[in-house]
Amino acid sequence: MIGTGILKGMAVTARNFVGSYFDKERLITVQYPEERTPLPENYRNFPILIYDNDPQAGLRCVACKICEKECPPQCIYIVKSDDKKPDYMGKPQFYPKVFDIDISVCMSCQICVEVCPFEAIKMDKDFELSKRERFDSLLLRREQLSKSNEYYHKIHPVEAAAVDKNLADAAAAAEAKKKAAAEAAAKVAAAKATAAKTTPVPPAAGSSASTSEASS
Amino acid sequence: MNMTTETIEAMERPPVTMASRLEGELLEVSMGPQHPSTHGVFRMNVALEGEIVRKLKPVFGYLHRNHEQIGEHTSYLGSMPYTDRLDYFCSMSNNWAYALSVEKLAGIEVPERAEYLRVILAELTRLQNHASLLGFLLSDMGAWGTPLMYAFREREKILDLFESLSGSRMMCDYMRFGGCRLDASDEWLARAKQIVDRFPEFLDEFEELILGNEIVIGRTQNVGKISAELAINSGITGPMVRASGVNYDIRKVDGYGFYRRFKFRIPLGEHGDTYDRLMMRALEMHESVSILQQAFAQIQPGPVLNPKVKVRAFRPPVGEAYGRIEAPKGELGFYLISDGSPNPYRYRVRPPSFINLTILEDMCLGHTVADVMVILGSVDIVMGEVDR
Ligand code: SF4
Ligand code: SF4
């Protein structure tokens, strides 16, 4: 009979309408500024730079410019420092004198995070970023981009714990390597000392020992 | 009305004679979905005789972003996030098509779990694409809001899944050459399974809402027919060609990914009209649900990314490759030529909705203006992909 299809459809809408008062599944919207749905762990928005302890000295970024090169829309701008400062392992490294990201160009692709070998750049979760000024207020400078490791732990707890573990492992491995190298060097030196007493040192052996020490 | 003299000439106004003046002159109207939030920015120059369409010329290009040229100037990995922006409803399947062609080019193996994840994500994409398409189509017919909102309610659940897996709802940028960027946790799979298990409930409700509706039937049956011959000759793919009764689905033809491991049927239409195209989407969703359930049962733990693939300075060997998948809208392919440098020498996209749109005129001739919107809706276009 003509009209039954329409009536059936209307029954569906009526069921949904009435159901939305009782059934939580049918009422899925929230009143946004007051109520918020929690963001998932993996949510990403724009990049931030991570520092340990001190926002100036603790920046993990070593200004290697890999992210600047790989960023598809080319929205990162880095100027390398002239001097070096010690990084988290105590090794002297360059640091970015200028580090700008134009987040009006950034497309949140996370490629900078993937290519960074130093766990220095991560994705933020802050999405309420509208600005009143028209021009460069969406061009974020190094100071605005720098966020502490604690903040990173707050927004991505699982990922940050994994990163911390990797860094600690790397540091421990480097420490162990240094120790082993020092021991080897001490052994070589001792051998050299005993050898020097008896016969003249062959120059090749001595130089290879010292190069391996320097490179480690 | 905004017509250039050129387009008017192109429409070959018939010589005005006494008889045609009596019957009425052709009236040229420039129409089309022109708001970015509808189907996109698109224009049709239609010549009308009364209400009947006598000529139709689609005008593309308002959303052109130079996608292919950009692809030739960024690294292979750098193009991956751009592919999200092609068909912005289905970023996961766009990622897959691009990853597939680069994997072909460089001969990269994909781990088993990653293949399963890709199938799961591509089928979830199909579910949400078809669900929202049905909503849009109804809204083109004048059923403002209600069906679209019901469809979006379901789509939202799937987008939440994408968000918690990849970090973004629509611009997922999730797949990588040789696998996927991140692994899906067991909770994620359980949640996805729960949503998929409840999806048929929504489908039944939605079908009850629209498919028996006399107005829908009246407006879609025998409207915009495509014969099987025309469908094959014009190169259209996807649900469009299957609605005309042509059994062509790349999931079966190529068996890419692990599709050979799943049992599923290909729904085929008979008449090639708008109603069949609408039904194709509804039936395909049932098949997708069945593929998803098989995939959830078969997926095993394991690595998701081939560790041999370099993230930085990825250079495939010299050669060329064409990788294609059955995207929700049809055959989506990427043709790449590598000269051994970090950028492709040529990067070409074969977008399904662009090619499906080429037979718009054949479908619309002889129908009324109001039908044109319905026919256009049943093609399932996304201008991001048509114009690139
Ligand atoms: S953020 Fe990482 S990749 Fe970018 S310059 Fe700093 S250390 Fe290098
Ligand atoms: S997220 Fe992507 S676009 Fe944004 S700065 Fe990083 S690499 Fe560039």
CSV table of all heavy atoms in Angstrom, one decimal, chain A residues 1-6 8-9 12-13 16 25-26 28 40 42-44 66 70 72-73 107 109-111 114-115 117, chain B residues 74 77-78 81-82 85 146 150 153 163-168 171-173 176 181-182 198 205 208-209 212-214 312:
chain,number,residue,atom,x,y,z
A,1,MET,N,0.8,-1.2,0.0
A,1,MET,CA,0.0,0.0,0.0
A,1,MET,C,0.9,1.2,0.0
A,1,MET,O,1.9,1.3,0.7
A,1,MET,CB,-0.9,0.0,1.2
A,1,MET,CG,-2.0,0.9,1.2
A,1,MET,SD,-2.9,1.0,2.8
A,1,MET,CE,-1.9,2.1,3.7
A,2,ILE,N,0.5,2.2,-0.8
A,2,ILE,CA,1.3,3.4,-0.9
A,2,ILE,C,1.3,4.1,0.5
A,2,ILE,O,0.2,4.2,1.1
A,2,ILE,CB,0.8,4.3,-1.9
A,2,ILE,CG1,1.1,3.8,-3.3
A,2,ILE,CG2,1.3,5.8,-1.8
A,2,ILE,CD1,2.0,4.6,-4.2
A,3,GLY,N,2.5,4.5,1.0
A,3,GLY,CA,2.5,5.2,2.2
A,3,GLY,C,3.0,4.4,3.4
A,3,GLY,O,3.4,5.0,4.4
A,4,THR,N,3.0,3.1,3.3
A,4,THR,CA,3.5,2.3,4.4
A,4,THR,C,5.0,2.5,4.6
A,4,THR,O,5.4,2.5,5.7
A,4,THR,CB,3.2,0.8,4.2
A,4,THR,OG1,3.6,0.5,2.8
A,4,THR,CG2,1.8,0.4,4.4
A,5,GLY,N,5.7,2.6,3.5
A,5,GLY,CA,7.2,2.9,3.6
A,5,GLY,C,7.4,4.1,4.4
A,5,GLY,O,8.3,4.2,5.3
A,6,ILE,N,6.7,5.2,4.1
A,6,ILE,CA,6.9,6.5,4.8
A,6,ILE,C,6.5,6.3,6.2
A,6,ILE,O,7.3,6.8,7.1
A,6,ILE,CB,6.0,7.5,4.1
A,6,ILE,CG1,6.5,7.7,2.6
A,6,ILE,CG2,6.0,8.8,4.9
A,6,ILE,CD1,5.6,8.7,1.8
A,8,LYS,N,6.6,3.6,8.1
A,8,LYS,CA,7.7,2.9,8.7
A,8,LYS,C,8.9,3.8,9.1
A,8,LYS,O,9.4,3.7,10.2
A,8,LYS,CB,8.2,1.8,7.8
A,8,LYS,CG,7.6,0.4,8.1
A,8,LYS,CD,8.4,-0.6,7.2
A,8,LYS,CE,7.8,-1.9,7.1
A,8,LYS,NZ,8.3,-2.7,6.0
A,9,GLY,N,9.3,4.6,8.1
A,9,GLY,CA,10.4,5.5,8.3
A,9,GLY,C,10.1,6.5,9.4
A,9,GLY,O,10.9,6.7,10.3
A,12,VAL,N,10.7,4.9,12.7
A,12,VAL,CA,12.1,4.9,13.1
A,12,VAL,C,12.5,6.2,13.7
A,12,VAL,O,13.1,6.3,14.7
A,12,VAL,CB,13.0,4.6,11.8
A,12,VAL,CG1,14.4,4.8,12.2
A,12,VAL,CG2,12.7,3.2,11.4
A,13,THR,N,12.1,7.3,13.0
A,13,THR,CA,12.5,8.6,13.6
A,13,THR,C,11.9,8.8,15.0
A,13,THR,O,12.5,9.3,15.9
A,13,THR,CB,12.1,9.8,12.7
A,13,THR,OG1,10.8,9.6,12.2
A,13,THR,CG2,13.0,9.9,11.5
A,16,ASN,N,13.8,7.0,17.5
A,16,ASN,CA,15.1,7.7,17.8
A,16,ASN,C,14.8,8.9,18.7
A,16,ASN,O,15.6,9.2,19.6
A,16,ASN,CB,15.8,8.1,16.5
A,16,ASN,CG,16.7,7.1,16.0
A,16,ASN,OD1,17.8,6.9,16.5
A,16,ASN,ND2,16.2,6.3,15.0
A,25,GLU,N,23.0,5.8,24.2
A,25,GLU,CA,23.7,5.5,22.9
A,25,GLU,C,23.1,6.4,21.8
A,25,GLU,O,23.7,6.6,20.7
A,25,GLU,CB,23.5,4.1,22.5
A,25,GLU,CG,24.4,3.2,23.3
A,25,GLU,CD,25.1,2.2,22.4
A,25,GLU,OE1,24.7,2.0,21.3
A,25,GLU,OE2,26.2,1.7,22.8
A,26,ARG,N,21.8,6.8,21.9
A,26,ARG,CA,21.2,7.6,20.9
A,26,ARG,C,21.5,9.1,21.1
A,26,ARG,O,21.2,9.9,20.2
A,26,ARG,CB,19.7,7.4,20.9
A,26,ARG,CG,19.3,6.0,20.5
A,26,ARG,CD,17.9,5.9,20.0
A,26,ARG,NE,17.5,4.5,19.8
A,26,ARG,CZ,17.6,3.9,18.7
A,26,ARG,NH1,18.1,4.5,17.6
A,26,ARG,NH2,17.3,2.6,18.6
A,28,ILE,N,24.5,11.3,21.5
A,28,ILE,CA,26.0,11.1,21.6
A,28,ILE,C,26.7,12.4,21.6
A,28,ILE,O,27.9,12.5,21.8
A,28,ILE,CB,26.5,10.3,20.4
A,28,ILE,CG1,25.9,10.8,19.1
A,28,ILE,CG2,26.1,8.8,20.6
A,28,ILE,CD1,26.7,10.4,17.9
A,40,PRO,N,42.1,10.8,22.9
A,40,PRO,CA,42.8,9.6,23.0
A,40,PRO,C,44.3,9.8,23.1
A,40,PRO,O,44.8,10.9,22.8
A,40,PRO,CB,42.5,8.8,21.7
A,40,PRO,CG,42.0,9.9,20.8
A,40,PRO,CD,41.4,11.0,21.6
A,42,ASN,N,46.8,8.8,21.4
A,42,ASN,CA,47.5,9.1,20.2
A,42,ASN,C,47.2,10.4,19.5
A,42,ASN,O,47.7,10.7,18.5
A,42,ASN,CB,47.2,7.9,19.2
A,42,ASN,CG,48.0,6.7,19.5
A,42,ASN,OD1,48.9,6.7,20.3
A,42,ASN,ND2,47.6,5.6,18.9
A,43,TYR,N,46.2,11.1,20.1
A,43,TYR,CA,45.8,12.3,19.4
A,43,TYR,C,47.0,13.2,19.1
A,43,TYR,O,47.9,13.4,19.9
A,43,TYR,CB,44.8,13.1,20.2
A,43,TYR,CG,44.3,14.3,19.6
A,43,TYR,CD1,43.3,14.3,18.6
A,43,TYR,CD2,44.8,15.6,20.0
A,43,TYR,CE1,42.9,15.4,18.0
A,43,TYR,CE2,44.3,16.7,19.4
A,43,TYR,CZ,43.4,16.6,18.4
A,43,TYR,OH,43.0,17.8,17.7
A,44,ARG,N,47.0,13.9,17.9
A,44,ARG,CA,48.1,14.7,17.6
A,44,ARG,C,47.6,16.0,17.1
A,44,ARG,O,46.6,16.0,16.4
A,44,ARG,CB,49.1,14.1,16.6
A,44,ARG,CG,48.4,13.8,15.3
A,44,ARG,CD,49.3,12.9,14.5
A,44,ARG,NE,48.6,12.0,13.6
A,44,ARG,CZ,48.2,12.3,12.4
A,44,ARG,NH1,48.5,13.4,11.8
A,44,ARG,NH2,47.6,11.4,11.6
A,66,ILE,N,67.2,17.7,10.4
A,66,ILE,CA,66.6,16.7,9.6
A,66,ILE,C,65.1,16.9,9.4
A,66,ILE,O,64.5,16.8,8.3
A,66,ILE,CB,66.8,15.3,10.3
A,66,ILE,CG1,68.3,14.9,10.2
A,66,ILE,CG2,66.0,14.2,9.6
A,66,ILE,CD1,68.6,13.7,10.9
A,70,GLU,N,62.7,17.2,6.1
A,70,GLU,CA,61.7,16.2,5.7
A,70,GLU,C,60.3,16.7,5.8
A,70,GLU,O,59.4,16.1,5.3
A,70,GLU,CB,61.8,15.0,6.7
A,70,GLU,CG,63.1,14.2,6.5
A,70,GLU,CD,63.1,13.3,5.3
A,70,GLU,OE1,62.1,12.9,4.8
A,70,GLU,OE2,64.3,12.9,4.9
A,72,PRO,N,57.0,17.9,4.9
A,72,PRO,CA,56.4,18.1,3.6
A,72,PRO,C,56.1,19.5,3.2
A,72,PRO,O,56.5,20.0,2.1
A,72,PRO,CB,55.2,17.2,3.5
A,72,PRO,CG,55.5,16.2,4.6
A,72,PRO,CD,56.3,16.9,5.7
A,73,PRO,N,55.3,20.3,4.0
A,73,PRO,CA,55.1,21.7,3.6
A,73,PRO,C,56.1,22.7,3.9
A,73,PRO,O,55.9,23.9,3.7
A,73,PRO,CB,53.7,22.0,4.2
A,73,PRO,CG,53.7,21.2,5.4
A,73,PRO,CD,54.6,20.0,5.2
A,107,MET,N,50.6,20.6,8.8
A,107,MET,CA,49.4,19.8,8.5
A,107,MET,C,49.4,18.6,9.5
A,107,MET,O,48.7,17.6,9.2
A,107,MET,CB,49.4,19.4,7.1
A,107,MET,CG,50.5,18.6,6.6
A,107,MET,SD,50.2,18.0,4.9
A,107,MET,CE,51.7,17.3,4.5
A,109,CYS,N,51.3,16.2,10.3
A,109,CYS,CA,51.5,14.9,9.8
A,109,CYS,C,52.4,14.0,10.6
A,109,CYS,O,52.5,12.8,10.4
A,109,CYS,CB,52.0,15.0,8.4
A,109,CYS,SG,53.7,15.7,8.4
A,110,GLN,N,53.1,14.6,11.5
A,110,GLN,CA,53.9,13.8,12.5
A,110,GLN,C,55.2,13.3,11.8
A,110,GLN,O,55.9,12.5,12.5
A,110,GLN,CB,53.1,12.7,13.1
A,110,GLN,CG,53.5,12.4,14.5
A,110,GLN,CD,52.7,11.3,15.1
A,110,GLN,OE1,52.0,10.5,14.4
A,110,GLN,NE2,52.7,11.2,16.4
A,111,ILE,N,55.5,13.7,10.6
A,111,ILE,CA,56.7,13.2,10.0
A,111,ILE,C,57.9,13.7,10.7
A,111,ILE,O,58.9,13.0,10.9
A,111,ILE,CB,56.7,13.5,8.5
A,111,ILE,CG1,55.8,12.5,7.8
A,111,ILE,CG2,58.1,13.4,7.9
A,111,ILE,CD1,55.6,12.7,6.3
A,114,GLU,N,58.7,11.5,13.5
A,114,GLU,CA,59.2,10.1,13.1
A,114,GLU,C,60.6,10.2,12.7
A,114,GLU,O,61.4,9.3,12.9
A,114,GLU,CB,58.4,9.6,11.9
A,114,GLU,CG,57.1,8.9,12.4
A,114,GLU,CD,56.2,8.7,11.2
A,114,GLU,OE1,56.6,8.0,10.3
A,114,GLU,OE2,55.1,9.2,11.3
A,115,VAL,N,61.1,11.3,12.0
A,115,VAL,CA,62.4,11.3,11.5
A,115,VAL,C,63.4,11.8,12.6
A,115,VAL,O,64.6,11.6,12.4
A,115,VAL,CB,62.5,12.2,10.2
A,115,VAL,CG1,61.7,11.6,9.1
A,115,VAL,CG2,62.2,13.6,10.5
A,117,PRO,N,66.0,11.9,15.2
A,117,PRO,CA,66.7,10.8,15.9
A,117,PRO,C,66.9,11.1,17.4
A,117,PRO,O,67.5,10.2,18.0
A,117,PRO,CB,68.1,10.8,15.1
A,117,PRO,CG,68.1,12.0,14.3
A,117,PRO,CD,66.9,12.8,14.5
B,74,THR,N,58.1,16.4,-3.4
B,74,THR,CA,58.4,16.0,-2.0
B,74,THR,C,58.9,14.6,-2.0
B,74,THR,O,58.7,13.8,-3.0
B,74,THR,CB,57.2,16.0,-1.1
B,74,THR,OG1,56.1,15.6,-1.9
B,74,THR,CG2,56.9,17.4,-0.5
B,77,LEU,N,57.9,9.6,1.3
B,77,LEU,CA,57.2,9.6,2.5
B,77,LEU,C,56.3,10.9,2.7
B,77,LEU,O,55.2,10.9,3.2
B,77,LEU,CB,58.1,9.5,3.7
B,77,LEU,CG,57.5,9.6,5.1
B,77,LEU,CD1,56.5,8.4,5.3
B,77,LEU,CD2,58.6,9.5,6.2
B,78,GLY,N,56.9,12.0,2.2
B,78,GLY,CA,56.2,13.3,2.3
B,78,GLY,C,54.9,13.4,1.6
B,78,GLY,O,54.0,14.2,1.9
B,81,PRO,N,51.1,12.1,3.8
B,81,PRO,CA,50.0,12.9,4.3
B,81,PRO,C,49.2,13.7,3.3
B,81,PRO,O,48.0,14.0,3.6
B,81,PRO,CB,50.7,13.9,5.3
B,81,PRO,CG,52.2,13.8,4.9
B,81,PRO,CD,52.4,12.4,4.3
B,82,TYR,N,49.7,13.9,2.1
B,82,TYR,CA,49.0,14.7,1.1
B,82,TYR,C,47.9,13.8,0.6
B,82,TYR,O,46.8,14.2,0.1
B,82,TYR,CB,49.9,15.1,0.0
B,82,TYR,CG,50.7,16.3,0.3
B,82,TYR,CD1,52.1,16.3,0.3
B,82,TYR,CD2,50.1,17.5,0.7
B,82,TYR,CE1,52.9,17.4,0.6
B,82,TYR,CE2,50.9,18.6,1.1
B,82,TYR,CZ,52.3,18.5,1.0
B,82,TYR,OH,53.0,19.6,1.3
B,85,ARG,N,44.4,14.0,1.8
B,85,ARG,CA,43.5,15.1,1.4
B,85,ARG,C,42.9,14.9,0.0
B,85,ARG,O,42.2,15.8,-0.5
B,85,ARG,CB,44.4,16.4,1.3
B,85,ARG,CG,44.5,17.0,2.7
B,85,ARG,CD,45.9,16.9,3.2
B,85,ARG,NE,46.1,17.5,4.5
B,85,ARG,CZ,46.7,16.9,5.6
B,85,ARG,NH1,47.2,15.7,5.4
B,85,ARG,NH2,46.8,17.5,6.7
B,146,THR,N,17.8,14.5,8.9
B,146,THR,CA,17.6,13.3,9.7
B,146,THR,C,18.4,12.1,9.2
B,146,THR,O,19.2,11.6,10.0
B,146,THR,CB,16.1,13.0,9.7
B,146,THR,OG1,15.4,14.1,10.1
B,146,THR,CG2,15.8,11.9,10.7
B,150,TYR,N,21.7,10.5,11.2
B,150,TYR,CA,21.8,9.1,11.7
B,150,TYR,C,23.0,8.5,11.1
B,150,TYR,O,23.7,7.7,11.8
B,150,TYR,CB,20.6,8.3,11.2
B,150,TYR,CG,19.3,8.6,11.9
B,150,TYR,CD1,19.2,9.6,12.9
B,150,TYR,CD2,18.1,7.9,11.7
B,150,TYR,CE1,18.1,10.0,13.5
B,150,TYR,CE2,16.9,8.2,12.3
B,150,TYR,CZ,16.9,9.3,13.2
B,150,TYR,OH,15.7,9.6,13.8
B,153,ARG,N,26.1,9.7,12.9
B,153,ARG,CA,26.2,9.2,14.3
B,153,ARG,C,27.0,7.9,14.2
B,153,ARG,O,27.9,7.7,15.0
B,153,ARG,CB,24.8,8.9,14.8
B,153,ARG,CG,24.7,8.5,16.3
B,153,ARG,CD,23.3,8.2,16.7
B,153,ARG,NE,22.8,7.1,15.9
B,153,ARG,CZ,21.5,6.9,15.8
B,153,ARG,NH1,20.6,7.7,16.3
B,153,ARG,NH2,21.1,5.9,15.1
B,163,GLU,N,40.7,7.9,15.2
B,163,GLU,CA,41.4,8.9,16.0
B,163,GLU,C,42.2,8.3,17.1
B,163,GLU,O,43.4,8.6,17.3
B,163,GLU,CB,40.4,9.9,16.7
B,163,GLU,CG,41.1,11.0,17.4
B,163,GLU,CD,40.1,12.0,18.1
B,163,GLU,OE1,39.0,11.5,18.4
B,163,GLU,OE2,40.4,13.2,18.2
B,164,SER,N,41.6,7.3,17.8
B,164,SER,CA,42.4,6.7,18.8
B,164,SER,C,43.5,5.8,18.3
B,164,SER,O,44.5,5.5,19.0
B,164,SER,CB,41.5,5.9,19.8
B,164,SER,OG,40.9,4.8,19.1
B,165,LEU,N,43.4,5.4,17.0
B,165,LEU,CA,44.5,4.6,16.5
B,165,LEU,C,45.6,5.5,15.9
B,165,LEU,O,46.8,5.3,16.1
B,165,LEU,CB,44.0,3.6,15.4
B,165,LEU,CG,45.0,2.7,14.8
B,165,LEU,CD1,45.6,1.8,15.9
B,165,LEU,CD2,44.4,1.8,13.8
B,166,SER,N,45.2,6.4,15.0
B,166,SER,CA,46.2,7.2,14.2
B,166,SER,C,46.4,8.6,14.7
B,166,SER,O,47.3,9.2,14.3
B,166,SER,CB,45.7,7.2,12.8
B,166,SER,OG,44.6,8.1,12.7
B,167,GLY,N,45.6,9.1,15.6
B,167,GLY,CA,45.8,10.4,16.1
B,167,GLY,C,44.9,11.5,15.5
B,167,GLY,O,44.9,12.6,15.9
B,168,SER,N,44.3,11.1,14.4
B,168,SER,CA,43.5,12.2,13.7
B,168,SER,C,42.2,11.5,13.1
B,168,SER,O,42.3,10.3,12.8
B,168,SER,CB,44.3,12.8,12.6
B,168,SER,OG,43.6,13.9,12.1
B,171,MET,N,42.4,13.1,8.8
B,171,MET,CA,43.7,13.1,8.1
B,171,MET,C,44.6,12.1,8.8
B,171,MET,O,45.5,12.4,9.6
B,171,MET,CB,44.3,14.5,8.2
B,171,MET,CG,43.4,15.5,7.5
B,171,MET,SD,43.2,15.2,5.8
B,171,MET,CE,41.5,15.5,5.6
B,172,CYS,N,44.3,10.8,8.6
B,172,CYS,CA,44.9,9.7,9.4
B,172,CYS,C,46.4,9.6,9.2
B,172,CYS,O,47.2,9.5,10.2
B,172,CYS,CB,44.3,8.4,9.2
B,172,CYS,SG,42.5,8.5,9.5
B,173,ASP,N,46.9,9.6,8.0
B,173,ASP,CA,48.3,9.5,7.7
B,173,ASP,C,48.9,8.3,8.5
B,173,ASP,O,49.8,8.4,9.3
B,173,ASP,CB,49.0,10.8,8.1
B,173,ASP,CG,50.5,10.7,7.8
B,173,ASP,OD1,50.9,10.0,6.9
B,173,ASP,OD2,51.3,11.4,8.5
B,176,ARG,N,52.4,3.3,6.3
B,176,ARG,CA,53.8,3.5,5.9
B,176,ARG,C,54.2,2.5,4.9
B,176,ARG,O,53.6,1.4,4.8
B,176,ARG,CB,54.7,3.5,7.1
B,176,ARG,CG,54.5,4.7,8.1
B,176,ARG,CD,55.1,5.9,7.4
B,176,ARG,NE,54.9,7.1,8.2
B,176,ARG,CZ,53.9,8.0,8.1
B,176,ARG,NH1,52.9,7.8,7.2
B,176,ARG,NH2,53.8,9.0,8.9
B,181,ARG,N,52.0,2.6,10.8
B,181,ARG,CA,52.9,3.4,11.7
B,181,ARG,C,52.9,2.9,13.1
B,181,ARG,O,53.9,2.8,13.8
B,181,ARG,CB,52.3,4.8,11.6
B,181,ARG,CG,53.2,5.8,12.3
B,181,ARG,CD,52.9,7.2,11.7
B,181,ARG,NE,51.6,7.6,11.7
B,181,ARG,CZ,50.9,8.2,12.7
B,181,ARG,NH1,51.5,8.3,13.8
B,181,ARG,NH2,49.7,8.5,12.6
B,182,LEU,N,51.7,2.5,13.6
B,182,LEU,CA,51.6,2.1,15.0
B,182,LEU,C,50.8,0.8,15.1
B,182,LEU,O,50.0,0.5,14.2
B,182,LEU,CB,50.8,3.2,15.8
B,182,LEU,CG,51.4,4.5,16.0
B,182,LEU,CD1,50.3,5.5,16.3
B,182,LEU,CD2,52.5,4.5,17.0
B,198,ARG,N,27.7,-4.2,16.1
B,198,ARG,CA,26.4,-3.5,16.2
B,198,ARG,C,26.0,-2.8,15.0
B,198,ARG,O,25.0,-2.2,14.9
B,198,ARG,CB,26.5,-2.5,17.4
B,198,ARG,CG,26.9,-3.2,18.7
B,198,ARG,CD,26.2,-2.7,19.9
B,198,ARG,NE,24.9,-2.2,19.7
B,198,ARG,CZ,24.3,-1.3,20.5
B,198,ARG,NH1,24.9,-0.9,21.6
B,198,ARG,NH2,23.1,-0.9,20.3
B,205,GLU,N,18.0,-0.5,10.6
B,205,GLU,CA,17.2,0.7,11.0
B,205,GLU,C,17.2,1.7,9.8
B,205,GLU,O,16.1,2.2,9.4
B,205,GLU,CB,17.8,1.3,12.2
B,205,GLU,CG,16.9,2.5,12.7
B,205,GLU,CD,17.6,3.2,13.8
B,205,GLU,OE1,17.4,2.8,15.0
B,205,GLU,OE2,18.4,4.2,13.6
B,208,GLU,N,15.1,0.4,6.9
B,208,GLU,CA,13.7,0.6,7.2
B,208,GLU,C,13.3,2.1,7.0
B,208,GLU,O,12.2,2.4,6.5
B,208,GLU,CB,13.5,0.2,8.7
B,208,GLU,CG,12.0,-0.2,9.0
B,208,GLU,CD,11.9,-0.6,10.4
B,208,GLU,OE1,12.8,-1.4,10.9
B,208,GLU,OE2,11.0,-0.2,11.1
B,209,LEU,N,14.3,2.9,7.4
B,209,LEU,CA,14.0,4.4,7.3
B,209,LEU,C,13.8,4.8,5.9
B,209,LEU,O,12.9,5.6,5.5
B,209,LEU,CB,15.1,5.2,8.0
B,209,LEU,CG,15.0,6.7,7.9
B,209,LEU,CD1,13.9,7.1,8.7
B,209,LEU,CD2,16.3,7.3,8.5
B,212,GLY,N,12.4,1.5,1.9
B,212,GLY,CA,11.0,1.2,1.5
B,212,GLY,C,10.2,2.5,1.2
B,212,GLY,O,9.0,2.4,0.8
B,213,ASN,N,10.8,3.6,1.4
B,213,ASN,CA,10.1,4.9,1.3
B,213,ASN,C,9.6,5.1,-0.1
B,213,ASN,O,10.4,5.1,-1.0
B,213,ASN,CB,11.0,6.0,1.8
B,213,ASN,CG,10.3,7.3,2.0
B,213,ASN,OD1,9.6,7.7,1.1
B,213,ASN,ND2,10.4,7.9,3.1
B,214,GLU,N,8.4,5.3,-0.3
B,214,GLU,CA,7.8,5.5,-1.7
B,214,GLU,C,8.4,6.7,-2.4
B,214,GLU,O,8.6,6.7,-3.6
B,214,GLU,CB,6.3,5.6,-1.7
B,214,GLU,CG,5.6,4.4,-1.4
B,214,GLU,CD,5.5,4.0,0.1
B,214,GLU,OE1,6.0,4.8,0.9
B,214,GLU,OE2,5.0,2.9,0.4
B,312,ARG,N,64.3,7.8,6.9
B,312,ARG,CA,65.0,8.9,6.3
B,312,ARG,C,65.7,8.5,5.0
B,312,ARG,O,66.2,7.4,4.9
B,312,ARG,CB,66.0,9.5,7.2
B,312,ARG,CG,65.4,10.1,8.5
B,312,ARG,CD,66.5,10.7,9.3
B,312,ARG,NE,67.3,9.7,10.0
B,312,ARG,CZ,67.0,9.3,11.2
B,312,ARG,NH1,66.0,9.7,11.9
B,312,ARG,NH2,67.8,8.4,11.8
